[in-house]
Amino acid sequence: EDKVVQSPLSLVVHEGDTVTLNCSYEVTNFRSLLWYKQEKKAPTFLFMLTSSGIEKKSGRLSSILDKKELFSILNITATQTGDSAVYLCAVGSGGSNYKLTFGKGTLLTVNP
Amino acid sequence: ETGVTQSPTHLIKTRGQQVTLRCSSQSGHNTVSWYQQALGQGPQFIFQYYREEENGRGNFPPRFSGLQFPNYSSELNVNALELDDSALYLCASSRLGQGGETQYFGPGTRLLVL
């Protein structure tokens, strides 16, 4: 059975701190790893990674994938209160019947 | 805003009833996937529709069924509702077949079964 494990499950930091969120996975027929931010309802897409070692960056957020060790990290630098959310890691797998398997998420709280 | 819409936003039903949830996909997308998200959990894959046919299914019983229409919109039907069906139901649209594996989510329908 496909499995995605995120750590930590929750994290409380102060504005300006840097955080690292972890995601490890065991899936059959890996195709991609995606990060989403979920504030109220709809998960919002952040990154999709398919190749090892290539960092993806968007503003203060960055992510990298290690396909040999089967994990990914999401870094957020200079955190702001608006970064408070659940961060979901999902792994895309399968052939023609591609699906996403999600972890439980990391609840990040950024205090002023 | 992803352009994926869902209706209704909230719904209250009683055990044993049936429910239909709706999803309109983003323009240019041909695939809709449905997920169930219980409180404090990540979304769980229910099934995916591509070209109006089911194209993969997660570990959900047959009372969860769906449809996709020629305009790529989709419905999720749940029969014989159980208390554990209370959850946020998310649909996601994507463009299968052109490397577009990113799925974009709608705002969800929150279902409460009493």
Side-chain angles (χ1 to χ4, degrees), chain B residues 85-97:
Chain B
D85 296 333
S86 295
L88 179 66
Y89 287 85
L90 294 163
C91 83
S93 81
S94 56
R95 182 146 187 92
L96 203 63

Side-chain angles (χ1 to χ4, degrees), chain A residues 21-110:
Chain A
L21 309 183
N22 304 294
C23 175
S24 63
Y25 63 89
E26 288 176 38
V27 301
T28 305
N29 196 4
F30 171 93
R31 283 173 63 179
S32 54
L33 186 141
L34 297 90
W35 286 96
Y36 289 88
K37 177 183 181 183
Q38 187 174 31
E39 290 177 88
K40 293 257 168 89
K41 281 193 176 180
T44 305
F45 171 72
L46 296 174
F47 298 111
M48 183 171 80
L49 304 131
T50 55
S51 302
S52 266
I54 298 174
E55 185 183 52
K56 289 224 173 173
K57 205 168 164 60
S58 175
R60 297 176 292 103
L61 277 66
S62 63
S63 183
I64 198 159
L65 172 66
D66 185 330
K67 285 167 74 173
K68 184 179 173 192
E69 300 298 329
L70 308 183
F71 79 88
S72 173
I73 59 171
L74 174 68
N75 280 318
I76 309 175
T77 58
T79 51
Q80 302 171 355
T81 54
D83 295 328
S84 296
V86 173
Y87 290 83
L88 293 165
C89 172
V91 175
S93 61
S96 58
N97 55 346
Y98 176 84
K99 67 168 187 181
L100 294 181
T101 300
F102 282 84
K104 287 188 177 180
T106 293
L107 173 60
L108 174 65
T109 304
V110 182

Side-chain angles (χ1 to χ4, degrees), chain B residues 43-64:
Chain B
Q44 273 200 285
F45 175 69
I46 303 174
F47 43 54
Q48 181 181 87
Y49 276 83
Y50 172 61
R51 290 184 175 174
E52 300 176 51
E53 294 201 358
E54 191 179 282
N55 183 46
R57 189 179 183 94
N59 192 21
F60 280 81
R63 59 189 185 83
F64 286 77

